[in-house]
Amino acid sequence: MASRPKATILDIAREAGVSKSTVSLVLQGSDLIRPETALKVRKAIEDVGYVYNRGAANLRKAHSNVIGMVINDLTNPFFAEMAVGMERVFQSAGIVPFIANTAENPVRQEEVLKSLMEQGVAGLIVSPARGTTPGAFRRIEMAGLPIVFTMRRLPESRIPVIAPDNHRGAWLATAHLIGKGHRRLAFFGGSSDLVVYHERLGGFREACEALGIAKRDTLVVEGETSRKGGIACLETALAMADPPTAALCFNDAVAFGVMLALRKRGLEPGADFAVVGFDDVIEAQHYMPTLTSVAVDSAGLGERAAHVMLRMIQSRTTRAEDHIGAVNLVVRDSCGPHRPAGMGDAA
Amino acid sequence: MASRPKATILDIAREAGVSKSTVSLVLQGSDLIRPETALKVRKAIEDVGYVYNRGAANLRKAHSNVIGMVINDLTNPFFAEMAVGMERVFQSAGIVPFIANTAENPVRQEEVLKSLMEQGVAGLIVSPARGTTPGAFRRIEMAGLPIVFTMRRLPESRIPVIAPDNHRGAWLATAHLIGKGHRRLAFFGGSSDLVVYHERLGGFREACEALGIAKRDTLVVEGETSRKGGIACLETALAMADPPTAALCFNDAVAFGVMLALRKRGLEPGADFAVVGFDDVIEAQHYMPTLTSVAVDSAGLGERAAHVMLRMIQSRTTRAEDHIGAVNLVVRDSCGPHRPAGMGDAA
DNA sequence: TTGATTTGTTGGAACGTTCCATTTAATAGG
DNA sequence: CCTATTAAATGGAACGTTCCAACAAATCAA
């Protein structure tokens, strides 16, 4: 039913008794058209139920108003927060972000990128899936399409990156744990095929060294970056001879998993074992106990990425500087009481 | 830099020494082409860094392989879970879903829908923003574009809906609370401009009536469908003369807010006040206490929606039947231990 | 040999826009 | 009254694909 053969600009022209060029001008809001004519045209547009065909338009002007946002894990609230930040700035620039999920699957990522490019997006904001091959973005770069990475960076690539200061964040968190008196520390979750992993782990290691924790009192357990991964990490750690008493987790999801596993063993997070997360997703302040975490300002990073992208599009360049976002440690309850509450920040 | 004037099918033809028609055939994987020719062409494609222009193609065949998914709140994990379900089925059908967020803003929704249509999507899966005007989808229907609603339905619309059995879910949850011995019940969160709200509230009311709770022992507090909304609802309720001892919440986010607010007042969710959520997002099983909630099988609903959409596209119809998904109550700890515990004395 | 058939390949006309160059109409200057 | 100037509207040639009708070469039937 319905499905008449789709109105075009010519149908409108006929309906309004003008030429297609006039209609086109009206559609673009040109002031070369007499207001009354424009009105007549707009009415016709409404009448025939016209929908603009951007594909056809792009054929001539190649100036799409959509950018693609490719995310490795949509179910991580972190990315949703970031997306919201981006949308804020894109909206006011009249451009629409389409989001696509790769579910951490490089093959899927390839498909999604292909589709987005074919669709003629003006730019790409990507958080690459784990295991992305180095050459995966060559075609996009060759096409001269603006692209920025968020959160993750690829080993050799020259593509600009917007990411938090992972090194410093990990350093701060580790120092906090040591300041609490812990002497046997662990780093939980993540895997070494991620550059971020090395950054965070590096911060952890340096802080340990600088603050006098011997390397042999330090434990690193790789694992999935999810609650499940966190649970597994804790199990592994507690099975060791001289188990750690505190852990910095690769991200909040892992931290939640760790706390969960502690509870299941009858241990109290904070009192019996200190845990710090990374990302400071909204849930962090709602957990029991509330989670001390490295806040990375996800929405802010999203906004920043969007701005960088806009600038790249405007100046039609494919280069831009990296941007390392400030981080700060939000101290809550998951590392035990830190003095009488009162001037705490855990809101 | 870079940005050579973009290779087209003709450049490939020249490079490979064949005609553009041949290239086109190769791109479509036609078996009318001699394998060695195809190989030659594919090599040329690689060499010139060609990217297919789907806009141009659609000009002729109008057969896009993307569908748009428009959701009202990307930060609600519920939708992420649903999106993942959809993606699963779409992927195997070779179609790519693009997700766009409306942030519960009808104006934004309008823009997003417009953009998606202009882009020539093959169909639309929409969870309408609150306050969507009745006519918002007229143009889409006029265009004969397949569209299905998820989760929410519009008052008068004939657009097919995929949603959980809200009425029954609320009924079950309410019955559970009453079975626990509660006699003064509240319904927290949501607002009456949502059809879902009336469905859930309806289930709540009917259960109360059927199980002998007088209407005056029943409290309904509208509010935002977020943690913040939940907090506000609880404050309001506890300020009443004869406060309720249990609440069914519009969704899990509200329930989390309520539990939070209880804690802040020194009350223990489950023991001092029972709360039930709706949606059963993953977090529900990780909270302290774990949240009793109505599981709606979000991923399953996503899959179902995707299937319906595929069928609509194939049979090029714009009609389909509603689908009401089964629900079931997942009992956890937020309503207290299983014995008919002490009620009464709140606040 | 000749015509018919099959197998690969190809030119050209769409598709719905934009935009340049032009035309037409109206206004002003002399 | 004629010519410049300005304002408003227009025709037509792109843009990068698909697909139909047509073609050439090779194979087959007689």
Side-chain angles (χ1 to χ4, degrees), chain B residues 65-141:
Chain B
N65 72 148
V66 352
I67 75 103
M69 175 170 174
V70 178
I71 74 188
N72 58 288
D73 180 12
L74 192 59
T75 64
N76 186 338
F78 176 84
F79 287 105
E81 293 169 26
M82 197 172 81
V84 168
M86 281 187 195
E87 277 165 346
R88 232 192 326 263
V89 358
F90 279 139
Q91 178 164 28
S92 55
I95 99 141
V96 182
F98 288 162
I99 302 170
N101 185 30
T102 64
E104 211 70 275
N105 174 352
V107 177
R108 181 66 174 158
Q109 176 173 269
E110 200 84 38
E111 292 172 5
V112 150
L113 286 172
K114 182 148 163 279
S115 206
L116 249 3
M117 291 195 69
E118 291 181 359
Q119 222 57 230
V121 297
L124 249 11
I125 296 182
V126 181
S127 172
R130 174 164 340 140
T132 298
T133 72
F137 295 91
R138 233 213 11 250
R139 312 197 44 142
I140 297 174
E141 290 185 273

Side-chain angles (χ1 to χ4, degrees), chain A residues 187-193 197-198 201 220-224 229 232-233 236:
Chain A
F187 186 91
F188 282 167
S191 55
S192 56
D193 55 353
Y197 178 78
H198 291 109
L201 182 56
V220 175
V221 187
E222 291 194 23
E224 283 183 39
C233 285
T236 305

Side-chain angles (χ1 to χ4, degrees), chain A residues 173-192:
Chain A
T174 310
H176 176 70
L177 288 173
I178 295 172
K180 285 280 189 188
H182 294 277
R183 288 294 170 266
R184 289 196 310 284
L185 307 184
F187 186 91
F188 282 167
S191 55
S192 56

Side-chain angles (χ1 to χ4, degrees), chain A residues 275-296:
Chain A
V275 6
V276 184
F278 213 110
D279 287 352
D280 192 30
V281 302
I282 308 172
E283 274 79 16
Q285 55 192 288
H286 294 314
Y287 254 71
M288 268 304 284
T290 56
L291 178 65
T292 293
S293 186
V294 178
V296 299

Side-chain angles (χ1 to χ4, degrees), chain B residues 164-347:
Chain B
D165 193 338
N166 290 307
H167 187 93
R168 184 170 150 75
W171 206 101
L172 287 174
T174 310
H176 176 70
L177 288 173
I178 296 172
K180 284 279 190 191
H182 295 278
R183 287 296 169 265
R184 289 195 309 283
L185 307 185
F187 186 91
F188 281 168
S191 56
S192 56
D193 55 354
L194 251 33
V195 177
V196 201
Y197 177 79
H198 291 110
E199 294 172 350
R200 294 186 182 174
L201 181 57
F204 172 78
R205 285 236 162 91
E206 276 191 28
C208 284
E209 184 164 6
L211 301 174
I213 304 292
K215 181 141 188 190
R216 69 184 149 66
D217 288 332
T218 234
L219 173 67
V220 175
V221 186
E222 292 196 21
E224 283 184 39
T225 59
S226 62
R227 272 179 255 256
K228 215 172 77 186
I231 296 174
C233 285
L234 187 86
E235 304 295 351
T236 306
L238 293 195
M240 313 279 306
D242 231 358
T245 64
L248 169 57
C249 299
F250 179 79
N251 68 12
D252 285 350
V254 171
F256 294 145
V258 170
M259 296 207 287
L260 217 65
L262 283 168
R263 275 269 167 63
K264 215 155 31 183
R265 288 185 160 241
L267 297 174
E268 183 59 22
D272 302 320
F273 190 102
V275 7
V276 184
F278 213 110
D279 286 353
D280 192 30
V281 302
I282 307 170
E283 274 79 15
Q285 54 193 288
H286 294 312
Y287 253 71
M288 272 302 288
T290 56
L291 177 67
T292 293
S293 186
V294 178
V296 300
D297 184 19
S298 37
L301 286 173
E303 286 178 22
R304 171 64 53 172
H307 276 125
V308 170
M309 175 54 66
L310 285 179
R311 212 165 323 125
M312 286 172 91
I313 291 175
Q314 273 163 1
S315 58
R316 38 184 53 80
T317 176
T318 174
R319 297 241 102 93
E321 300 200 337
D322 289 1
H323 180 270
I324 304 305
V327 297
N328 75 303
L329 184 71
V330 179
V331 177
R332 298 205 184 85
D333 302 334
S334 62
C335 301
H338 259 311
R339 36 165 203 103
M343 30 163 291
D345 68 326

Side-chain angles (χ1 to χ4, degrees), chain A residues 1-4 6 45-56 58-59 62 64-66 74-75 77 79-81 83-84 87 90-91 95-103 105 107-108 111-112 114-120 138-139 141-144 227 260 263 282-283 285-288 316-319, chain B residues 1-4 6 45-56 58-59 62 64-66 74-75 77 79-81 83-84 87 90-91 95-103 105 107-108 111-112 114-119 138-139 141-144 227 231 260 263 282-283 285-288 316-319:
Chain A
M1 27 229 79
S3 210
R4 98 196 84 245
K6 246 176 212 165
I45 288 178
E46 204 58 45
D47 286 351
V48 303
Y50 169 74
V51 352
Y52 185 74
N53 184 334
R54 196 167 298 268
N58 287 351
L59 221 41
S64 145
N65 72 147
V66 353
L74 192 59
T75 65
F79 287 106
E81 293 169 27
V84 168
E87 278 165 345
F90 279 139
Q91 178 165 26
I95 99 141
V96 182
F98 288 161
I99 302 169
N101 185 29
T102 65
N105 174 353
V107 177
R108 180 65 174 159
E111 294 171 5
V112 150
K114 182 150 164 279
S115 207
L116 250 2
M117 292 195 69
E118 291 180 1
Q119 222 57 228
R138 234 217 4 256
R139 312 195 45 140
E141 291 185 272
M142 269 179 60
R227 272 179 257 256
L260 220 63
R263 276 268 169 62
I282 308 172
E283 274 79 16
Q285 55 192 288
H286 294 314
Y287 254 71
M288 268 304 284
R316 38 185 53 79
T317 177
T318 174
R319 296 243 102 93
Chain B
M1 27 228 77
S3 209
R4 96 198 82 248
K6 245 176 211 168
I45 289 178
E46 205 59 42
D47 287 348
V48 303
Y50 168 76
V51 353
Y52 184 75
N53 184 334
R54 197 169 295 270
N58 286 353
L59 221 42
S64 145
N65 72 148
V66 352
L74 192 59
T75 64
F79 287 105
E81 293 169 26
V84 168
E87 277 165 346
F90 279 139
Q91 178 164 28
I95 99 141
V96 182
F98 288 162
I99 302 170
N101 185 30
T102 64
N105 174 352
V107 177
R108 181 66 174 158
E111 292 172 5
V112 150
K114 182 148 163 279
S115 206
L116 249 3
M117 291 195 69
E118 291 181 359
Q119 222 57 230
R138 233 213 11 250
R139 312 197 44 142
E141 290 185 273
M142 269 180 60
R227 272 179 255 256
I231 296 174
L260 217 65
R263 275 269 167 63
I282 307 170
E283 274 79 15
Q285 54 193 288
H286 294 312
Y287 253 71
M288 272 302 288
R316 38 184 53 80
T317 176
T318 174
R319 297 241 102 93

Side-chain angles (χ1 to χ4, degrees), chain B residues 27-47:
Chain B
L27 283 173
Q28 293 167 82
S30 163
D31 54 357
L32 287 180
I33 303 295
R34 201 153 36 107
E36 22 177 342
T37 310
L39 214 69
K40 202 168 48 179
V41 171
R42 261 189 275 274
K43 167 134 177 35
I45 289 178
E46 205 59 42
D47 287 348

